[in-house]
Amino acid sequence: MPTDVEQWKDELYGTDIRAEIEHFAENGWESIPDDEQDAWFERFKWYGLYHQRAGQESYFMMRIGPPGGVLEPGQFRRIVEIADEFSRGPATNPEFGNGWLDVTTRQAIQLHWIRLEDVPEIFEQLEDVGLSTVQACGDSWRNIVGCPVAGKDKHEHVDADALATDLHDTFKENEAHSNLPRKWKVSVTGCDEGCGQGDINDLAFEPAEKEIDGESVTGYNVRVGGGLSRNEPRFARNIDVFATPEQAVEVAGGISALFRDHGDRENRYNARIKFLVDEWGPEKLRETLQEEYIDFELETAGEDLRDSYSYNAGEADGKHDHVGVHEQVDGNYYVGLNVLVGRIGVDDGYALADAAEEHGSGEVRLTQRQNIILTDVAEENVDDLRAEPVLEDYSPDPHPFQRGSIACTGTEFCSLSIVETKNRQVRYGRWLTENVTLPEGVENFHIHLSGCTASCAQPQIADVSLRGMKTRKNGEPVEALDIGLGGGLGEEPQFASWVTERVPADEVPGAIANLLENFAEARDSDEQSFREFVADRDDEELADLIEPEETNYEDPFMHNTKRTWYPYAEEDGLDESPAPARADGTPIPSDD
């Protein structure tokens, strides 16, 4: 039998949802019938709206997903303006204040505390500058990710930006592809470095060369079935298909339609294409694609260029995340800025928009490491840009512990998360920077903190992977983290091994400090990377190197933050949730 979600989608889905959103916005939160809320919240996702967690009823997260993370001049500023006006909540975050935007690991931006009554106006303000929330969530084509400097990179084989834009324009609001069994994540890589992270996407286009009719053609090899969630990660598998840039959209549409028709609609846990590839194998998938969905003869895979992949490849001295000052193909420069855990306060957002417009073209690009890039900076403007006060906090040359930190939304807003994440990761990075020296030659060190097994922070591809759990300490329930080691991408990607479970959160910094000290002592040479070191040892040996320990690090979020309406509300003097609330922020009495 189809799931409840499938039945709701059969009744109404896709572009028809917008009129209903506008109806509810006009009539207020209370106009959504209680017994229909689950169905409507599922449908709202198609327009980029997620209802926030228990205790925050009537507030939404809104996601804006530009293809390839490219925000054209004026678009970043508009998002900051919207955050300033509409994305302020009833409580203050002790690290970030009130009013911010979050850069995600899929080159999108998320806003929180959005009221349903404000959504139509926000849609209009976004559309006025060419932005949209369409299909930023839901069971359809999500934001297409790729090289964050596509079209400007000196190390590019094929322009991934052109394909990402074509895919976006073709499949967004495309009725034939708007209702899939589950989310559909697509990546386009065109460069030497592999920064599109195709290995962990449902569908990946990766640069390749193929001789066709006696001529060498640069295009894409196709991989299918990657993903990290549900504690069953998969790397995308080669289906032996090469697509020219002109064929790529049609190939993508064929694979999307195949998933639409053959994906599991009876079990949402089994509805991702990675499980269909498990069941069928790459050979059957290719055969079905050719016979039922593609009108021309598919080319076999070309010669891939993965041997040059350096992005998150585990090199001891590798810096391939686009942070820093780099020359573009046109002689101008792009400047990648570190955004710790992806969060940008409104005031800082305005300052960054000013800097982008004054020193560059005004274009801002988003990366899968939750960072931003200011592009088209003339050589004579680079020093002036670097002297901007806002770059003291958003640095092009951050400490490795700051540079390598990623965190998901956590219990602050997410109903799935088990632990607090963003504030904790900021505190971890700060403590590690002040108290731990990285081993000789290690310039890159990735620590990813994900609040649950949904893996939004992509922990399985980090040097140190942290995943939210619960445990007991001194007889009391506390927040804890599983620890994994040695994940990464590159030519030969590998997932982290989960070697230690349920470490109390306040002992994790000490565990990382001891791990790095033991790594420095036991590594074969200064040239051996942490990832190579982990690969040479079994899980039991690695667990012995972690040694969780209390230090002078203090964690104010050890209590069960999931049981609070907002993890930091007590510090703000708000013990009781003011939600649900009307458009003006006044609470709706329970007897209403």
Side-chain angles (χ1 to χ4, degrees), residues 6-20:
E6 287 300 321
Q7 294 180 45
W8 297 334
K9 291 193 298 178
D10 284 345
E11 293 167 7
L12 186 141
Y13 208 55
T15 54
D16 292 339
I17 297 168
R18 178 154 180 172
E20 303 302 322

Side-chain angles (χ1 to χ4, degrees), residues 228 448-450 455-462 464-467 496 498:
L228 299 177
H448 295 194
L449 171 53
S450 199
S455 300
C456 296
Q458 303 172 347
Q460 296 97 323
I461 57 169
V464 173
S465 312
L466 305 175
R467 180 176 63 194
W498 296 101

Side-chain angles (χ1 to χ4, degrees), residues 235-341:
F235 289 122
R237 280 149 281 186
N238 185 357
I239 64 166
D240 193 25
V241 168
F242 173 85
T244 67
E246 295 75 25
Q247 296 170 334
V249 171
E250 188 169 349
V251 171
I255 299 172
S256 173
L258 183 153
F259 176 53
R260 177 197 64 209
D261 298 342
H262 297 281
D264 191 340
R265 293 183 183 265
E266 297 183 357
N267 180 352
R268 287 184 66 79
Y269 289 105
N270 199 47
R272 299 296 294 275
I273 198 170
K274 63 184 179 182
F275 298 115
L276 184 63
V277 180
D278 286 351
E279 179 184 348
W280 282 11
E283 296 80 9
K284 180 178 177 180
L285 190 144
R286 187 192 196 283
E287 179 182 330
T288 305
L289 176 67
Q290 178 69 84
E291 292 179 356
E292 300 181 21
Y293 297 96
I294 298 296
D295 293 334
F296 59 86
E297 186 71 23
L298 290 169
E299 295 282 350
T300 57
E303 181 182 353
D304 70 47
L305 303 166
R306 293 174 62 89
D307 59 351
S308 67
Y309 278 14
S310 55
Y311 180 85
N312 193 12
E315 298 172 11
D317 62 349
K319 288 187 178 180
H320 303 288
D321 53 9
H322 304 291
V323 172
V325 180
H326 305 272
E327 189 175 6
Q328 297 176 181
V329 68
D330 62 0
N332 288 319
Y333 288 78
Y334 69 83
V335 181
L337 305 179
N338 185 69
V339 181
L340 188 56
V341 301

Side-chain angles (χ1 to χ4, degrees), residues 542-562:
L542 292 170
D544 290 341
L545 298 175
I546 289 179
E547 300 181 73
E549 180 183 13
E550 288 187 359
T551 63
N552 62 351
Y553 168 82
E554 296 182 1
D555 196 312
F557 314 116
M558 293 297 288
H559 59 289
N560 188 346
T561 59
K562 193 175 181 69

Side-chain angles (χ1 to χ4, degrees), residues 18 21-22 25-26 116-125:
R18 178 154 180 172
I21 291 175
E22 292 172 348
E26 182 178 357
L116 185 59
E117 293 85 350
D118 293 327
V119 168
E121 183 175 349
I122 296 174
F123 282 172
E124 289 182 6
Q125 290 194 22

Side-chain angles (χ1 to χ4, degrees), residues 206-231:
E206 299 193 316
E209 295 176 346
K210 174 87 174 179
E211 186 170 310
I212 301 176
D213 296 331
E215 293 187 10
S216 178
V217 178
T218 301
Y220 300 95
N221 280 348
V222 182
R223 291 176 177 251
V224 177
L228 299 177
S229 63
R230 216 192 96 177
N231 262 344

